[in-house]
Amino acid sequence: MSESERPLEPNSTSGGGPPLQEEHPEIDEDDDTNEEEEIEGDGDDDDDDDDDDDDDDDDEEDSDEEEDFVASLPPVIRKRVDQLKELNQQRGAFMEDYLKERAELEKKYNKLCKPLYEKRRDVINGSADEGEGEGDDEPAIASGSDGAEEELVANNDNDNERVIGIPEFWTMAMSNIETLEELVTERDNECLNFLQDITCQDFDNGLGFTLQFHFKENLFFTNRVLTKRYDVPNLLIEDEPILKNVVGCDINWKDDMCLTYRTIAKKQRNKKGKIRHVNKKERTGSFFHFFSPPKLPEMQDIDEEEADAIEEAFDHDYDVATQFRSYIIPKAVLWFTGEAMESALDGVFEGEDSMLSLQMQKQMQSQGGATGGNPFPPPAGGSEEPECKQS
């Protein structure tokens, strides 16, 4: 198994502010002749070829060891081992048929559920409100609008206003799953109030899925849909998932509205004593780092501690995706009301071994981890930070 297919564990806030231009009194010593560092790419292709050769050599060594072991067995045992291999091959053929049929079954019932999810979306966003309270002339409050929560509370005391849809539905549902709640800052909440729907599109072959977050027009970015794609070859098998590839998306932030980084103004003095003003990006905590997944470096270039940290980052990342795919999307209303959380907690205290109950037990035993509870760590030392795109 390659490092990029390392097994993952089963599915298991701080307030933010808008990007500010801040000046810090400190002055950094800097040589203005080294304002930008360039990384030469010459020789990369040769390095890749060498890596492939090393992998092939390792595979050949493993195969030779297996052959040596089988050759060392008595002839009568080797014959029986061959019989077992034939049986295993037959089982493999059955499993291929099983996975094809299960993928079709998943596809069938996902298709049946899709109209239900679309109706849910209409209720949440107010499209299904037509016909309710006909004849009323009260002004309406839009779901996801600024101050929706305060207006909703006021409406409970005064029925002179009618609420459209269910304001803050998705943020409330997410807040009842600790894995998600700990990622969302106050500033993120303002943006997530524009979230209209969360959907999941499974691959036709059953080997992965794509999460889709649908937003209405908002103050923060121009995207209408943010996506996260996961290639999981054994998604439909009851084994630890093997994550083959993860692809996020670029968020086109509007000017001065980036939630993942902020720009700070600093003074720098070069060797000649000349002071200049520079702008630097500073990473901020945000749920939206989820759409910039961790990248797997060349494993020969990192030590064991770094490899463990990367594995944990991928574990957390897939764990967050699973919360959406397996819990939030199919049972959104129960997470909004908190009933699903109560059910999961009952499973924890009653000793049930459901996937979510086991996960909540782990969360109760240990908060966060090596990454401090944030599954989306900053880029590895020395690597370039992703651009915070402004439109």
Side-chain angles (χ1 to χ4, degrees):
M1 180 185 303
S2 67
E3 291 293 342
S4 63
E5 296 185 351
R6 186 187 296 272
L8 301 176
E9 293 189 4
N11 306 328
S12 48
T13 59
S14 63
L20 301 175
Q21 293 286 340
E22 300 179 359
E23 287 208 358
H24 294 260
E26 68 271 12
I27 299 178
D28 295 340
E29 296 293 337
D30 182 49
D31 186 353
D32 55 5
T33 61
N34 296 322
E35 293 183 9
E36 296 182 358
E37 294 184 3
E38 297 183 359
I39 300 177
E40 298 293 338
D42 295 341
D44 288 347
D45 294 338
D46 294 338
D47 292 341
D48 292 340
D49 293 339
D50 293 340
D51 295 340
D52 293 339
D53 292 340
D54 292 340
D55 292 339
D56 293 340
D57 292 341
D58 292 339
D59 293 339
E60 291 177 2
E61 291 177 2
D62 293 339
S63 178
D64 291 340
E65 291 177 0
E66 293 174 2
E67 292 177 358
D68 291 342
F69 170 73
V70 174
S72 68
L73 298 174
V76 65
I77 300 298
R78 289 203 301 270
K79 183 177 180 180
R80 293 166 184 166
V81 169
D82 290 339
Q83 290 177 331
L84 296 181
K85 287 184 176 181
E86 291 178 4
L87 295 174
N88 190 64
Q89 289 177 351
Q90 294 178 30
R91 178 190 178 277
F94 293 152
M95 288 302 297
E96 289 181 6
D97 292 339
Y98 161 77
L99 291 177
K100 291 178 182 178
E101 291 185 20
R102 178 168 175 178
E104 289 298 320
L105 194 63
E106 294 271 352
K107 184 178 179 181
K108 172 185 175 181
Y109 283 94
N110 285 338
K111 186 176 181 180
L112 291 174
C113 290
K114 185 177 180 180
L116 304 180
Y117 294 152
E118 291 174 346
K119 289 181 180 179
R120 178 181 69 186
R121 176 201 60 206
D122 293 342
V123 171
I124 292 170
N125 296 296
S127 301
D129 289 356
E130 295 182 6
E132 292 184 1
E134 291 184 355
D136 295 340
D137 296 327
E138 298 88 350
I141 302 173
S143 175
S145 61
D146 293 340
E149 183 177 8
E150 290 79 1
E151 293 177 359
L152 177 59
V153 172
N155 185 62
N156 290 332
D157 298 330
N158 187 345
D159 289 333
N160 290 330
E161 295 177 330
R162 182 172 62 86
V163 178
I164 290 181
I166 305 178
E168 303 185 20
F169 178 87
W170 294 108
T171 54
M172 286 291 294
M174 291 169 60
S175 70
N176 283 325
I177 295 185
E178 187 172 5
T179 304
L180 304 180
E181 187 272 339
E182 65 185 6
L183 303 176
V184 180
T185 68
E186 293 179 9
R187 189 66 168 159
D188 288 338
N189 268 322
E190 295 180 33
C191 183
L192 289 171
N193 284 335
F194 293 95
L195 183 59
Q196 293 182 303
D197 199 12
I198 306 175
T199 59
C200 180
Q201 182 67 47
D202 287 355
F203 299 171
D204 288 341
N205 59 9
L207 302 182
F209 59 91
T210 298
L211 293 172
Q212 299 172 320
F213 296 75
H214 305 261
F215 286 82
K216 65 174 65 175
E217 186 176 352
N218 61 80
L219 304 173
F220 294 87
F221 46 74
T222 59
N223 311 64
R224 297 303 296 267
V225 181
L226 301 181
T227 61
K228 187 80 173 285
R229 173 191 171 101
Y230 289 84
D231 295 316
V232 191
N234 65 337
L235 180 65
L236 300 181
I237 302 177
E238 301 300 327
D239 291 332
E240 291 185 350
I242 297 175
L243 194 58
K244 183 178 180 181
N245 192 30
V246 184
V247 180
C249 69
D250 292 329
I251 301 178
N252 300 314
W253 299 101
K254 295 183 179 180
D255 290 342
D256 298 328
M257 298 304 290
C258 180
L259 297 176
T260 54
Y261 290 86
R262 66 174 180 171
T263 302
I264 59 174
K266 301 187 71 174
K267 294 180 181 179
Q268 286 186 341
R269 176 183 294 147
N270 61 19
K271 293 180 179 179
K272 298 179 180 179
K274 184 178 179 180
I275 296 178
R276 62 175 181 172
H277 296 271
V278 297
N279 292 327
K280 290 190 175 182
K281 289 191 305 180
E282 181 177 87
R283 181 186 173 92
T284 59
S286 174
F287 163 76
F288 290 93
H289 285 294
F290 175 66
F291 298 98
S292 300
K295 291 180 173 56
L296 189 66
E298 296 295 337
M299 299 309 293
Q300 68 270 17
D301 296 334
I302 61 176
D303 56 30
E304 182 177 354
E305 183 177 350
E306 290 175 318
D308 290 341
I310 291 171
E311 181 180 1
E312 184 175 2
F314 275 101
D315 286 346
H316 278 295
D317 181 86
Y318 188 75
D319 182 34
V320 171
T322 299
Q323 306 309 306
F324 287 111
R325 179 177 182 268
S326 300
Y327 303 116
I328 289 289
I329 292 175
K331 298 181 179 179
V333 66
L334 299 182
W335 287 106
F336 173 78
T337 63
E339 295 171 74
M341 179 176 61
E342 294 173 3
S343 177
L345 286 173
D346 289 342
V348 171
F349 295 117
E350 292 174 7
E352 293 181 5
D353 59 355
S354 68
M355 192 172 296
L356 186 57
S357 295
L358 290 174
Q359 181 188 8
M360 295 188 73
Q361 290 180 34
K362 290 171 61 179
Q363 290 176 347
M364 293 173 66
Q365 293 169 1
S366 174
Q367 299 296 326
T371 57
N374 191 328
F376 321 121
S383 64
E384 183 179 354
E385 293 180 343
E387 180 183 1
C388 189
K389 295 187 176 182
Q390 306 278 351
S391 62

